[in-house]
């Protein structure tokens, strides 16, 4: 079966430097790696995908093939970076462009202790001029779009006017795309998980930003779990980013190309998606990868369907066995079909 990701993608209209992507899947640590992204490309070929956040230091000094490598079929794909040094981030932007990424995104929203100690992520919302310097350096270094993902506020700096000022300063530095998580971040007292759930959602603040900055591309993120909700949000903003629901129920995106991009390519069944992963699995098993590195992302393919529990049990029990390969997928397909 020809992978859905290998089919040609029609050219999209552009606004400034940005292709029009009304729907994206959020960057998620330990989730949106290259194997998850390839898997999602068997379900949707048009939704914008993101890498996990990679620090500028890791990109400069680490194993780039491992950290940044991806299959061409994963495009459109954005690299999300974390850092606060304009020169380092400019180098990352050049690397991203050279490697074939479609966009580079600066993380100004993660509240974890690790990013706070490195002075990046959500704590950067307190220093918008510093972020503006980073954006200017990155934009000057590359022709691909440079965007920012941030919160509506951080700690006590959470008035609408604070976010308004943040967006204004960054827009004056040349930033045109903002992905806004509609919750504030507490840097002390809440875990990263709690920061995704405890602070209340304030969608109206994001809608107001779009009203006051109509020339900017505004994407909303936070608490959105259905395509119906995404359609509703598009009445007020330019794009919608879905996070955990994209991992917990990946087949949610089966109709996204048709609904959001007007792509009439036939929609694959869940079984067809599983079958389309077999050649990819064989390729990576030949390179010595352990099967569970791929199948862990496929566990929820049959979410809410008869046979889901059996599917997950077979993949979980057999994928960690030494020498396990695509026969595990074939066995699971046979068991639930």
């Amino acid at each position: 079966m020809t992978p859905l990701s290998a089919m040609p993608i029609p050219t999209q209209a552009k606004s400034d430097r940005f292709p029009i992507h009304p729907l994206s899947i959020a960057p998620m640590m330990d989730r949106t790696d290259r194997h998850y992204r390839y898997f999602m490309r068997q379900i949707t070929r048009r939704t914008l995908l993101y890498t996990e956040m990679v620090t500028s230091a890791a990109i400069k000094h680490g194993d780039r093939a491992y950290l940044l490598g991806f299959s061409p079929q994963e495009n459109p794909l954005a690299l999300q970076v974390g850092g606060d040094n304009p020169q380092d981030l400019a180098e990352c932007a050049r690397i991203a462009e050279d490697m074939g990424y479609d966009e580079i995104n600066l993380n100004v929203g993660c509240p974890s202790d690790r990013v706070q100690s490195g002075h990046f992520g959500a704590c950067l919302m307190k220093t918008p001029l510093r972020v503006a310097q980073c954006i200017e350096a990155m934009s000057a270094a590359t022709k691909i779009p440079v965007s920012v993902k941030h919160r509506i506020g951080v700690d006590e700096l959470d008035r609408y006017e604070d976010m308004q000022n943040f967006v204004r300063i960054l827009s004056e530095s040349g930033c045109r795309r903002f992905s806004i998580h509609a919750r504030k971040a507490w840097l002390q007292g809440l875990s990263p998980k709690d920061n995704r759930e405890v602070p209340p959602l304030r969608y109206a603040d994001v809608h107001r930003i779009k009203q006051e900055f109509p020339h900017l591309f505004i994407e909303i993120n936070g608490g959105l779990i259905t395509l119906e909700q995404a359609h509703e949000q598009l009445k007020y903003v330019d794009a919608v980013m879905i996070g955990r629901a994209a991992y917990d129920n990946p087949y949610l995106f089966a109709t996204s190309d048709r609904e959001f991009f007007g792509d009439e390519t036939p929609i694959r069944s869940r079984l067809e998606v599983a079958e389309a992963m077999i050649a990819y699995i064989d390729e990576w098993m030949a390179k010595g990868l352990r099967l569970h590195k791929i199948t862990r992302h496929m566990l929820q393919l049959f979410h809410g369907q008869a046979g889901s529990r059996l599917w997950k049990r077979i993949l979980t029990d057999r994928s960690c066995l030494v020498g396990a390969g695509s026969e595990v997928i074939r066995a699971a397909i046979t068991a639930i079909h």
Side-chain angles (χ1 to χ4, degrees), residues 191-229:
S191 68
K193 179 179 183 297
D194 288 340
N195 262 296
R196 293 193 298 266
E197 299 172 352
V198 174
L201 287 159
R202 288 160 44 186
Y203 293 144
D205 285 4
V206 184
H207 301 165
R208 184 177 171 186
I209 284 289
K210 178 59 187 177
Q211 291 173 350
E212 297 186 8
F213 298 90
H215 61 292
L216 300 180
F217 190 99
I218 303 298
E219 180 174 55
I220 196 167
N221 171 233
L224 301 166
I225 60 174
T226 70
L227 297 188
E228 290 75 19
Q229 290 174 327

Side-chain angles (χ1 to χ4, degrees), residues 24-304:
S24 72
I25 294 177
M28 293 177 280
M29 295 301 295
D30 197 39
R31 292 190 174 189
T32 54
D33 66 14
R34 65 183 302 167
H35 305 305
Y36 170 76
R37 299 190 307 258
Y38 189 91
F39 167 58
M40 288 305 299
R41 279 288 173 249
Q42 311 317 308
I43 299 172
T44 170
R45 64 178 186 155
R46 302 294 292 272
T47 301
L48 178 63
L49 303 181
Y50 285 81
T51 67
E52 303 170 89
M53 183 191 69
V54 188
T55 67
S56 57
I59 293 173
K60 286 186 64 179
H61 306 296
D63 183 344
R64 290 180 192 166
Y66 173 76
L67 292 169
L68 304 183
F70 65 95
S71 305
Q73 294 90 343
E74 294 170 41
N75 293 95
L77 178 62
L79 170 64
Q80 187 182 66
V81 295
D84 72 334
N85 182 288
Q87 290 72 38
D88 290 349
L89 290 167
E91 182 176 348
C92 292
R94 286 190 290 269
I95 292 169
E97 181 177 8
D98 289 344
M99 293 190 70
Y101 283 92
D102 296 290
E103 177 184 326
I104 185 164
N105 176 267
L106 182 62
N107 184 316
V108 191
C110 181
S112 74
D113 292 339
R114 182 169 72 93
V115 302
Q116 291 181 57
S117 63
H119 195 251
F120 55 96
C123 61
L124 282 176
M125 288 199 71
K126 298 181 179 181
T127 56
L129 292 176
R130 183 66 170 179
V131 180
Q133 293 172 346
C134 294
I135 294 298
E136 288 177 349
M138 295 166 73
S139 297
T142 182
K143 295 179 181 178
I144 63 174
V146 177
S147 62
V148 173
K149 186 174 189 293
H150 64 92
R151 295 283 185 135
I152 58 172
V154 57
D155 293 340
E156 289 77 20
L157 201 70
D158 65 347
R159 301 176 306 153
Y160 172 79
E161 291 75 15
D162 297 319
M163 178 172 64
Q164 181 189 49
N165 183 58
F166 180 84
V167 170
R168 178 186 59 78
I169 291 173
L170 266 60
S171 67
E172 291 172 354
S173 75
C175 189
R176 291 292 177 269
R177 177 169 177 144
F178 295 76
S179 297
I180 306 176
H181 188 150
R183 284 188 174 96
K184 66 175 289 183
W186 280 109
L187 299 183
Q188 302 296 329
L190 289 182
S191 68
K193 179 179 183 297
D194 288 340
N195 262 296
R196 293 193 298 266
E197 299 172 352
V198 174
L201 287 159
R202 288 160 44 186
Y203 293 144
D205 285 4
V206 184
H207 301 165
R208 184 177 171 186
I209 284 289
K210 178 59 187 177
Q211 291 173 350
E212 297 186 8
F213 298 90
H215 61 292
L216 300 180
F217 190 99
I218 303 298
E219 180 174 55
I220 196 167
N221 171 233
L224 301 166
I225 60 174
T226 70
L227 297 188
E228 290 75 19
Q229 290 174 327
H231 281 296
E232 179 64 24
Q233 288 296 324
L234 287 176
K235 297 177 182 178
Y236 309 102
V237 294
D238 300 298
V240 175
M241 175 181 280
I242 295 177
R244 285 166 291 166
Y247 200 86
D248 296 339
N249 182 19
Y251 200 71
L252 166 69
F253 285 79
T255 63
S256 62
D257 291 355
R258 181 169 297 178
E259 291 188 42
F260 295 88
F261 299 91
D263 189 331
E264 295 299 325
T265 302
I267 297 170
R268 280 183 166 165
S269 69
R270 289 176 173 84
L271 287 172
E272 288 172 330
V273 169
E275 291 167 353
M277 289 296 294
I278 289 175
Y280 180 80
I281 288 171
D282 288 340
E283 176 186 349
W284 277 94
M285 295 309 98
K287 297 177 182 178
L289 188 75
R290 296 293 296 270
L291 179 61
H292 73 92
K293 294 287 188 179
I294 299 176
T295 55
R296 71 186 185 96
H297 300 305
M298 301 172 61
L299 294 177
Q300 298 291 351
L301 176 58
F302 291 87
H303 173 83

